[in-house]
């Protein structure tokens, strides 16, 4: 799988740097034995539950052993690679750092599984630009000199070539013998020699300018913050032995610490079995139960912000439909005002005239999200190019915005009480209209990507250049206006949509909705600072 534009290899052998979105999950040491159907089944079920997650990191030893064709072409191996490919198809980026059991994973395996293979690890860059060095962890065991020598040999080009050319039966037989020999060798070594060394961890992290180190390998949980380095180590995936405090296997799994999840404030420990799943809510419909809606906390308000042409309305509408929530198109309300201003012959730059028009409008919504202007559906007339060009100057007037924002909050409160929650979108929805929303998302894409989408939507693909100029001008106007300028809220989850289909964007938003919040509060609990979702709908300060 080709590395995307947000990762790059540095000079002089520097590790690639890869942006890590909020919601990224890191797991390691899965040791999936492709010859065991029960293990393969459990692994594929886990992957199915991750659809829509923005990124999944595997910190090595994804497979119990992997020599080449023998594993890739087996029934279990084929099924695992297919499940990984399906996850990638949902929009999830999969980053695999090979371990000491599966270092012979190759480019053909990565293509079949839809994942990016990072042989020596990488540096992850979070939304707040903090840096995490991501390694398997065995390279830190520097006291085990014999292992380090062997590690260099078996990862060399000739050995990799030999593994690719071996017949299937031979590669499987060699894998079994290597596994048995490795188990005996590890058992004979002193415990101290097998431990990752902190001095090596500090050296490598400093070289990568990383304040956090994320590893696996030792099958032992660690969250150690000292000497200027936070060192995180996941327990072996799915490792949850029953103990006195765990009455059932499910309870033991829920208490395991075999995953880390990236939040706005940094990495938080998670269990792979319950990676961020909140308590469910009651369906608001009398018809068939929507299983996904049941996973979203009650009285949810989801606010989606972002620049012009990024697809906020489409994504919010589809998300609301998918989660059985009310869709509040705040941008459509400003479009309706702009259209009314133009129809009445008022000057879009005259604040007093625009305010007078706004006061004379009655804006409301049908339960299905249809905007009503003075009791009539707004329809496509509010989305013409002429209206689009004049929305920014009309919506920039402070008095107009205050009037419309007040109405937006009224509508959201009414609909949330009636339907159990709402999805609202607009260019200041997360910062001004609903600053206390349960989930705040800043949806974005490059200006060129947005221009292509808008041109396709309008059926004028040959006019991308002109539309690009319009979008750039509007971005400048929206981000520099005095009242409610476009900006990303500090606690909003940034979602980059370049290269994603509308379905993949919605998949990701649905994942964030059912798995959040990602602001440091525990899933299913009130957002930090107290208050309730009804407070969020009303937009009150807490």
């Amino acid at each position: 799988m080709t590395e995307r534009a947000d990762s790059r290899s540095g000079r002089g052998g520097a590790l690639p740097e890869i942006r890590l979105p909020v919601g990224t999950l890191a797991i390691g040491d899965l040791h999936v034995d492709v010859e065991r159907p029960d293990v393969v089944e459990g692994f594929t079920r886990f992957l199915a539950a991750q659809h829509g997650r923005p990124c999944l990191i595997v910190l090595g030893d994804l497979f119990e052993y992997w020599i080449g064709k023998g594993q890739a072409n087996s029934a279990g191996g084929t099924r695992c690679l297919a499940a990984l490919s399906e996850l990638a198809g949902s929009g999830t980026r999969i980053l695999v750092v090979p371990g000491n059991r599966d270092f012979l994973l190759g480019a053909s395996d990565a293509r079949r599984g839809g994942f990016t293979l990072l042989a020596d690890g990488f540096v992850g860059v979070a939304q707040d630009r903090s840096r995490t060095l991501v390694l398997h962890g065995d390279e830190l065991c520097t006291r085990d000199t014999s292992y380090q020598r062997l590690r260099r040999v078996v990862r060399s080009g000739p050995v990799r070539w030999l593994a690719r050319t071996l017949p299937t039966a031979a590669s499987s037989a060699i894998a079994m013998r290597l596994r048995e020999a490795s188990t005996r060798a590890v058992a004979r070594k002193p415990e101290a020699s097998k431990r990752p060394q902190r001095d090596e961890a500090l050296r490598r992290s400093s070289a990568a300018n990383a304040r956090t180190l994320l590893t696996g390998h030792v099958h032992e949980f660690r969250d150690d913050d000292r000497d200027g380095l936070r060192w995180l180590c996941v327990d072996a995936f799915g490792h949850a032995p029953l103990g006195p405090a765990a009455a059932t296997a499910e309870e033991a799994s829920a208490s395991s610490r075999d995953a880390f999840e990236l939040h706005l404030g940094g990495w938080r420990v998670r269990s792979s079995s319950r990676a961020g799943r909140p308590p469910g809510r009651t369906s608001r419909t009398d018809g068939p139960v929507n299983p996904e809606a049941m996973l979203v906390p009650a009285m949810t308000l989801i606010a989606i912000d972002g620049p012009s042409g990024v697809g906020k309305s489409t994504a919010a509408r589809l998300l609301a439909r998918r989660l059985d929530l009310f869709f509040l198109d705040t941008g459509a309300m400003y479009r309706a005002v702009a259209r009314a201003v133009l129809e009445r012959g008022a000057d879009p730059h005259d604040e007093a005239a625009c305010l007078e028009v706004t006061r004379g409008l009655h804006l409301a919504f049908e339960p299905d999200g249809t905007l009503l202007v003075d009791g009539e559906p707004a329809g496509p007339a509010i989305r013409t190019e002429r209206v689009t060009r004049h929305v920014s100057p009309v919506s920039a007037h402070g008095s107009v915005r205050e009037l419309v924002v007040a109405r937006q909050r009224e509508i959201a409160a009414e609909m949330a009480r009636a339907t159990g929650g709402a999805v609202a979108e607009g260019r200041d929805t997360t910062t001004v209209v609903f600053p206390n929303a349960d989930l705040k998302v800043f949806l974005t894409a490059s200006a060129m990507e947005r221009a292509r989408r808008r041109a396709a939507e309008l059926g004028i693909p040959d006019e991308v250049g002109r539309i690009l100029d319009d979008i750039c001008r509007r971005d400048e106007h929206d981000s520099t206006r005095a009242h409610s300028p476009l900006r990303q809220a500090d606690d909003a989850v940034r979602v980059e949509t370049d290269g994603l289909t509308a379905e993949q964007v919605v998949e990701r938003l649905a994942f964030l909705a059912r798995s959040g919040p990602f602001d440091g509060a525990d899933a299913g609990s009130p957002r930090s600072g107290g208050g309730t979702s009804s407070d969020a709908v009303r937009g009150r300060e807490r």
Side-chain angles (χ1 to χ4, degrees), residues 422-435:
V423 179
E425 70 84 18
R427 273 189 297 286
D428 62 352
T429 307
T430 62
T431 55
V432 175
V433 187
F434 303 115

Side-chain angles (χ1 to χ4, degrees), residues 139-195:
E139 57 270 82
L140 305 178
C141 302
T142 51
R143 288 190 181 181
D144 191 346
T145 55
S146 61
Y147 171 77
Q148 294 300 329
R149 285 195 298 271
L150 177 63
R151 185 179 187 274
R152 288 191 292 272
V153 170
V154 297
R155 291 174 181 247
S156 64
V159 172
R160 299 184 70 85
W161 175 84
L162 179 62
R164 287 195 300 270
T165 58
L166 284 173
T168 298
S171 68
S172 296
I174 291 173
M176 294 296 293
R177 285 198 292 271
L178 285 175
R179 183 170 60 171
E180 293 168 359
S182 173
T183 301
R184 291 193 299 270
V186 169
R188 289 195 299 265
K189 290 182 179 180
E191 189 64 30
S193 71
K194 296 183 288 186
R195 307 295 299 176

Side-chain angles (χ1 to χ4, degrees), residues 180-239:
E180 293 168 359
S182 173
T183 301
R184 291 193 299 270
V186 169
R188 289 195 299 265
K189 290 182 179 180
E191 189 64 30
S193 71
K194 296 183 288 186
R195 307 295 299 176
Q197 300 303 304
R198 189 168 189 85
D199 58 348
E200 182 67 9
L202 288 168
R203 185 187 71 79
R204 288 177 179 256
S205 299
S206 176
N209 193 26
R211 171 68 178 76
T212 303
L213 172 64
L214 182 59
T215 64
H217 182 58
V218 293
H219 299 194
E220 184 178 289
F221 172 79
R222 175 201 292 258
D223 187 348
D224 182 16
D225 194 344
R226 57 191 171 94
D227 302 325
L229 176 68
R230 185 185 181 197
W231 188 350
L232 308 175
C233 184
V234 294
D235 197 354
F237 178 87
H239 176 66

Side-chain angles (χ1 to χ4, degrees), residues 1 59 90 128 133 225 273 291 379 387 480 492 515:
M1 183 176 180
L59 298 165
S90 78
D128 63 359
L133 175 60
D225 194 344
S273 63
V387 170
T480 58
S515 302

